Coordinates of all heavy atoms in Angstrom, one line a residue:
E106 N 94.6 112.0 119.3 CA 95.7 112.7 119.7 C 95.4 114.2 120.1 O 96.1 114.8 120.9 CB 96.9 112.6 118.8 CG 97.6 111.3 118.7 CD 98.7 111.2 117.7 OE1 98.9 112.3 117.0 OE2 99.5 110.3 117.6
K107 N 94.5 114.8 119.4 CA 94.1 116.2 119.6 C 93.7 116.4 121.0 O 94.0 117.4 121.7 CB 93.0 116.6 118.5 CG 93.5 116.7 117.1 CD 92.5 117.4 116.3 CE 92.9 117.2 114.8 NZ 94.3 117.8 114.6
W108 N 92.9 115.5 121.6 CA 92.6 115.5 123.0 C 93.7 115.4 124.0 O 93.8 116.0 125.0 CB 91.4 114.5 123.3 CG 90.1 115.0 122.9 CD1 89.3 115.9 123.3 CD2 89.3 114.3 121.7 NE1 88.0 115.9 122.7 CE2 88.1 115.1 121.6 CE3 89.6 113.4 120.8 CZ2 87.2 114.8 120.7 CZ3 88.8 113.0 119.8 CH2 87.5 113.8 119.8
L109 N 94.6 114.5 123.6 CA 95.8 114.3 124.5 C 96.6 115.7 124.5 O 97.1 116.1 125.5 CB 96.7 113.4 123.8 CG 96.3 111.9 124.1 CD1 97.2 110.8 123.4 CD2 96.4 111.6 125.7
F110 N 96.7 116.3 123.3 CA 97.5 117.6 123.3 C 96.7 118.7 124.0 O 97.3 119.5 124.7 CB 97.7 118.0 121.8 CG 98.8 117.2 121.1 CD1 98.6 116.7 119.9 CD2 100.1 117.4 121.6 CE1 99.7 116.0 119.3 CE2 101.2 116.7 121.0 CZ 100.9 116.0 119.8
A111 N 95.4 118.5 123.9 CA 94.6 119.5 124.7 C 94.8 119.5 126.3 O 95.1 120.4 126.9 CB 93.1 119.4 124.4
A112 N 94.8 118.3 126.8 CA 95.0 118.0 128.2 C 96.5 118.3 128.6 O 96.7 119.0 129.5 CB 94.7 116.6 128.6
I113 N 97.5 117.9 127.7 CA 98.8 118.3 128.0 C 99.1 119.7 128.0 O 99.8 120.3 128.8 CB 99.7 117.5 126.9 CG1 99.7 115.9 127.2 CG2 101.1 118.0 126.9 CD1 100.3 115.2 126.1
G114 N 98.5 120.4 126.9 CA 98.8 121.8 126.8 C 98.1 122.6 128.0 O 98.8 123.5 128.5
L115 N 97.0 122.2 128.4 CA 96.4 122.9 129.6 C 97.1 122.8 130.8 O 97.4 123.7 131.6 CB 94.9 122.4 129.8 CG 93.8 122.9 128.8 CD1 92.6 122.2 129.1 CD2 93.8 124.4 128.9
Y116 N 97.6 121.5 131.2 CA 98.3 121.1 132.4 C 99.7 121.8 132.2 O 100.2 122.4 133.3 CB 98.5 119.7 132.5 CG 99.0 119.4 133.9 CD1 98.1 119.4 135.0 CD2 100.3 119.1 134.2 CE1 98.5 119.0 136.4 CE2 100.8 118.9 135.5 CZ 99.9 118.8 136.5 OH 100.3 118.5 137.8
A117 N 100.4 121.8 131.1 CA 101.6 122.4 131.0 C 101.5 124.0 131.3 O 102.4 124.6 131.9 CB 102.2 122.2 129.6
Q118 N 100.5 124.6 130.7 CA 100.3 126.0 130.9 C 100.0 126.4 132.4 O 100.5 127.3 132.9 CB 99.1 126.5 129.9 CG 98.7 127.9 130.2 CD 97.5 128.4 129.3 OE1 97.6 127.9 128.1 NE2 96.6 129.0 129.9
Q119 N 99.3 125.5 133.0 CA 98.8 125.9 134.4 C 99.8 125.5 135.4 O 99.7 126.0 136.5 CB 97.4 125.2 134.6 CG 96.3 125.6 133.8 CD 95.0 124.7 133.7 OE1 95.1 123.7 134.5 NE2 94.1 125.1 133.1
N120 N 100.7 124.6 135.2 CA 101.6 124.0 136.1 C 103.1 124.1 135.9 O 103.9 123.5 136.5 CB 101.2 122.5 136.4 CG 99.9 122.4 137.0 OD1 99.8 122.6 138.2 ND2 98.9 122.2 136.2
N121 N 103.5 124.9 134.8 CA 104.9 125.0 134.5 C 105.6 123.8 134.2 O 106.7 123.5 134.7 CB 105.6 125.8 135.5 CG 106.8 126.5 135.1 OD1 106.9 127.1 134.0 ND2 107.8 126.6 136.1
I122 N 105.0 123.0 133.3 CA 105.6 121.6 133.0 C 106.0 121.6 131.5 O 105.4 122.2 130.7 CB 104.6 120.5 133.3 CG1 104.2 120.5 134.6 CG2 105.1 119.2 132.7 CD1 105.3 120.0 135.6
D123 N 107.2 121.0 131.3 CA 107.7 120.9 129.9 C 107.9 119.4 129.5 O 108.3 119.3 128.3 CB 108.9 121.7 129.7 CG 110.1 121.3 130.7 OD1 110.0 120.3 131.3 OD2 111.1 122.1 130.8
T124 N 107.7 118.4 130.3 CA 108.0 117.1 129.9 C 106.9 116.2 130.4 O 106.4 116.4 131.6 CB 109.3 116.5 130.4 OG1 110.4 117.5 130.1 CG2 109.6 115.2 129.9
F125 N 106.5 115.3 129.6 CA 105.4 114.4 130.0 C 105.6 113.0 129.6 O 106.3 112.8 128.5 CB 104.0 114.9 129.2 CG 103.4 116.0 129.7 CD1 103.8 117.3 129.4 CD2 102.3 115.9 130.5 CE1 103.2 118.4 129.8 CE2 101.8 117.0 131.0 CZ 102.2 118.3 130.7
S126 N 105.2 112.0 130.4 CA 105.1 110.6 130.0 C 103.6 110.3 130.0 O 102.8 110.8 130.8 CB 105.8 109.7 131.0 OG 107.2 109.8 130.8
V127 N 103.1 109.6 129.0 CA 101.6 109.4 128.8 C 101.2 108.0 128.9 O 102.0 107.0 128.4 CB 101.3 109.9 127.3 CG1 99.8 109.5 127.1 CG2 101.5 111.4 127.2
G128 N 100.3 107.7 129.7 CA 99.6 106.3 129.8 C 98.3 106.4 129.0 O 97.5 107.3 129.2
W129 N 98.0 105.4 128.1 CA 97.0 105.5 127.2 C 96.3 104.1 127.3 O 96.8 103.1 127.1 CB 97.6 105.7 125.8 CG 96.5 105.9 124.7 CD1 95.1 105.5 124.7 CD2 96.7 106.6 123.6 NE1 94.5 106.0 123.7 CE2 95.4 106.7 122.9 CE3 97.7 107.3 122.9 CZ2 95.2 107.3 121.6 CZ3 97.5 107.9 121.7 CH2 96.3 107.9 121.1
A130 N 95.0 104.2 127.8 CA 94.0 103.1 127.9 C 93.4 102.8 126.7 O 92.6 103.7 126.1 CB 93.1 103.4 129.0
V131 N 93.7 101.7 126.0 CA 93.1 101.5 124.7 C 92.0 100.4 124.7 O 92.0 99.6 125.7 CB 94.2 101.0 123.7 CG1 95.4 102.0 123.5 CG2 94.9 99.6 124.1
P132 N 91.1 100.4 123.7 CA 90.0 99.5 123.9 C 90.4 98.0 123.8 O 91.4 97.7 123.1 CB 89.2 99.9 122.6 CG 89.5 101.3 122.3 CD 90.9 101.4 122.8
L133 N 89.7 97.1 124.4 CA 90.1 95.7 124.4 C 90.2 95.1 123.1 O 91.1 94.3 122.8 CB 89.0 94.9 125.2 CG 89.0 95.2 126.8 CD1 87.7 94.6 127.4 CD2 90.3 94.6 127.5
K134 N 89.4 95.4 122.2 CA 89.4 94.8 120.8 C 90.4 95.3 119.9 O 90.7 94.8 118.9 CB 88.0 94.9 120.2 CG 86.9 94.0 120.6 CD 85.7 94.1 119.7 CE 84.6 93.1 120.1 NZ 83.5 93.2 119.3
R135 N 91.0 96.4 120.4 CA 92.0 97.1 119.3 C 93.4 97.2 119.9 O 94.2 97.9 119.3 CB 91.4 98.6 119.1 CG 90.2 98.5 118.2 CD 89.9 100.0 117.8 NE 90.9 100.5 116.9 CZ 90.8 101.8 116.5 NH1 89.9 102.7 116.8 NH2 91.9 102.3 115.7
K136 N 93.7 96.4 120.8 CA 95.1 96.6 121.5 C 96.2 96.6 120.5 O 97.0 97.6 120.4 CB 95.4 95.5 122.5 CG 96.6 95.9 123.3 CD 96.9 94.8 124.3 CE 98.2 95.2 125.0 NZ 98.6 94.2 126.0
Q137 N 96.5 95.5 119.7 CA 97.6 95.5 118.9 C 97.6 96.6 117.8 O 98.6 97.3 117.5 CB 97.8 94.2 118.3 CG 99.1 93.9 117.6 CD 100.3 94.2 118.5 OE1 100.3 93.6 119.7 NE2 101.2 95.1 118.2
E138 N 96.4 96.8 117.2 CA 96.3 97.8 116.2 C 96.5 99.2 116.8 O 97.2 100.0 116.3 CB 94.8 97.7 115.6 CG 94.5 98.8 114.5 CD 93.1 98.8 114.1 OE1 92.4 97.8 114.5 OE2 92.7 99.6 113.4
E139 N 95.9 99.5 118.0 CA 96.1 100.7 118.6 C 97.6 101.0 118.9 O 98.2 102.0 118.7 CB 95.3 100.8 119.9 CG 93.8 101.0 119.7 CD 93.4 102.4 119.3 OE1 94.3 103.2 119.2 OE2 92.2 102.5 119.0

Side-chain angles (χ1 to χ4, degrees):
E106 286 181 355
K107 293 187 184 305
W108 282 287
L109 280 173
F110 280 123
I113 288 169
L115 284 174
Y116 192 83
Q118 175 181 313
Q119 296 167 358
N120 295 275
N121 199 37
I122 295 293
D123 58 12
T124 308
F125 285 81
S126 287
V127 174
W129 191 330
V131 303
L133 289 168
K134 279 188 176 180
R135 289 187 64 180
K136 182 179 180 184
Q137 192 55 52
E138 179 185 353
E139 289 281 359

